[in-house]
Amino acid sequence: LENRASLLKKLKLKRTPKREAMMDILAGEPHYTTPEEVWQRMRQRFAKIGLPTVYRNLEELAEGGVVSKVLHPDRKLYYFYCPNDSHHHHFICLSCRKVEDLRSCLTEGVESEVEGRGGTVLSHIVQVNGLCSDCRRKEDAA
Ligand SMILES: [Zn+2]
Ligand SMILES: [Zn+2]
Ligand SMILES: [Zn+2]
């Protein structure tokens, strides 16, 4: 992950080996992961790192918008990294935890509805949950 230094700078977070390692772990992973899984991998490099440190760092990176948090129906905490910083939304597979970028935005109808009431939309959060093509095929075959 080349731009991690500038990302951390933008967030006014100090560049530490731990933060950088954490970003590398998330950047190399096309699936959303739990803090515990990040912790397991971090321990291979930082033997003494505690789970609370991993939680705190992930939360800091999420607050800064560097990593994204998943709102999962199982209510567990998951994070992922997406390098695409233009406005877009994510499709997440509930079975294999894959994350895909979506091209469409799904909000046009909502904006006109809000405007019809005299209001205006300033921002929105959309996350689409489902089964990816691989998992859907598996389900159909089963
Ligand atoms: Zn899947
Ligand atoms: Zn994305
Ligand atoms: Zn959108």
Side-chain angles (χ1 to χ4, degrees), residues 43-58:
R43 288 207 298 180
Q44 294 165 10
R45 269 186 65 186
F46 308 94
K48 287 180 188 158
I49 191 167
L51 185 56
T53 305
V54 171
Y55 268 104
R56 195 182 58 242
N57 277 287
L58 284 170

Side-chain angles (χ1 to χ4, degrees), residues 87-89 104-107 111 124-126:
H87 177 86
H88 70 287
H89 303 288
S104 31
C105 188
L106 311 168
T107 56
E111 276 174 22
H124 59 264
I125 300 167
V126 175

